Amino acid sequence: MATALRLISRGLRKNTFVPLYNSCSFLHTHSTSFGYKEVKEEEKSRLVGNVFTSVATNYDLMNDLMSGGMHRLWKEKLVSILNPFPGMKHLDVAGGTGDVAFRILESINDVGRRALRDQDDNVPEETQIFVCDINSNMLTVGKKRAQERGFGEDKSLVWVEGDAEELKFEDNSMDGYTIAFGIRNVTHIEKALAEAFRVLKRGGRFLCLELSHVELPIFKELYDFYSFSVIPVIGELVAGDRESYQYLVESVRRFPTQEKFGSMIAEAGFQNVEYENLVGGVVAIHSGIKF
């Protein structure tokens, strides 16, 4: 399966988003889905919390197994598009295990070291990378991983327990905002997008890496079989939790298409909205700028 994914990943397609809708009602419909189940809005947050409490300790291992390790390449691409710089204030939402934040910090440190070699008296401004997650168990895993990577005492990393729909940050305070594999789990996607727009500075970049919709018919059949017949079994064998991974698969299918999600980002106020499919649409990176 990993070999097939790598072959298809060579055919990347980048799409500049042109809004096709003005104020369609579906963009503002409050999602009450929990996978294929319909639940009350106030229940979804608790149910999703239970899922990530359950999967937290095996989260990164399962990502490796489910994607054949390709999630690492996708996150590296996300960070390369972000193009981090020393002194930036960045917010990584739903990033509790630190996977994206560590990559951002490493990239900034590389830039800083090159700058110091070129100009000895250059003193970079203080960098702050806020790792925000609603689930305390995910944050605990992230802090442990930070210690293991030598980032335990790094004051550039700030761990915050918080809700993507009600961020605890000031208006116009962030240079960048990333969310990887998290936005499909919020109850109201439009609220999370509005909060992203609020906290970003003018010129700030919004980037979202998310499992999305496969477009190639033959590959879609293969991907559906893998998703529904293999991933839950891996979850049961490795993590002892079939139901959580069944939900994660179903949540991808309930997530808006690339075009529809692009419309939602534009509706939130972002401009220059575009997306790029990776691995034929298994994942997509959406981006927008706050002007």
Side-chain angles (χ1 to χ4, degrees), residues 247-259:
Y247 156 73
L248 293 174
V249 169
E250 293 175 358
S251 68
V252 176
R253 300 311 189 275
R254 295 299 296 265
F255 190 68
T257 64
Q258 289 90 322
E259 288 290 331

Side-chain angles (χ1 to χ4, degrees), residues 68-231:
M70 293 184 69
H71 76 100
R72 299 171 183 269
L73 299 177
W74 301 335
K75 290 168 183 172
E76 287 171 8
K77 185 172 181 64
L78 180 77
V79 174
S80 70
I81 295 172
L82 176 66
N83 193 23
F85 56 89
M88 80 180 300
K89 303 293 185 289
H90 183 80
L91 176 60
D92 182 46
V93 176
T97 63
D99 232 18
V100 172
F102 298 152
R103 285 172 167 79
I104 293 173
L105 183 57
E106 287 167 354
S107 176
I108 289 174
N109 287 342
D110 286 343
V111 172
R113 282 191 289 269
R114 289 196 298 271
L116 286 172
R117 283 199 301 268
D118 296 338
Q119 187 175 356
D120 291 338
D121 60 350
N122 178 47
V123 179
E125 296 180 36
E126 182 183 4
T127 298
Q128 286 187 301
I129 303 169
F130 297 90
V131 185
C132 179
D133 202 296
I134 198 170
N135 191 287
S136 60
N137 293 76
M138 297 288 278
L139 289 169
T140 298
V141 171
K143 292 174 184 177
K144 181 180 178 181
R145 293 185 71 212
Q147 291 283 352
E148 294 169 351
R149 287 171 171 249
F151 294 142
E153 305 304 318
D154 197 317
K155 295 181 180 180
S156 296
L157 285 173
V158 184
W159 305 86
V160 180
E161 185 173 344
D163 188 342
E165 297 182 26
E166 297 181 25
L167 295 172
K168 304 173 183 178
F169 303 96
E170 295 181 359
D171 297 357
N172 307 305
S173 58
M174 297 292 163
D175 296 296
Y177 175 112
T178 50
I179 182 167
F181 306 122
I183 202 162
R184 75 181 189 281
N185 296 308
V186 304
T187 304
H188 308 99
I189 293 174
E190 72 278 11
K191 286 186 178 180
L193 292 172
E195 281 291 271
F197 187 84
R198 178 183 67 79
V199 301
L200 278 170
K201 299 176 183 177
R202 298 291 174 183
R205 190 82 175 272
F206 167 86
L207 284 166
C208 175
L209 171 65
E210 188 56 86
L211 292 161
S212 199
H213 296 269
V214 173
E215 298 175 339
L216 301 174
I218 296 177
F219 181 47
K220 184 179 185 304
E221 293 179 14
L222 176 63
Y223 180 54
D224 283 344
F225 172 79
Y226 177 72
S227 297
F228 289 99
S229 301
V230 178
I231 287 178

Side-chain angles (χ1 to χ4, degrees), residues 20-54:
L20 301 176
Y21 312 97
N22 291 322
S23 56
C24 297
S25 60
F26 68 79
L27 296 182
H28 305 287
T29 300
H30 289 180
S31 173
T32 56
S33 64
F34 179 74
Y36 285 160
K37 300 176 183 177
E38 293 298 318
V39 298
K40 295 179 180 179
E41 288 184 353
E42 58 270 23
E43 291 181 358
K44 180 169 180 175
S45 179
R46 176 182 60 80
L47 292 170
V48 170
N50 291 342
V51 167
F52 283 94
T53 295
S54 175

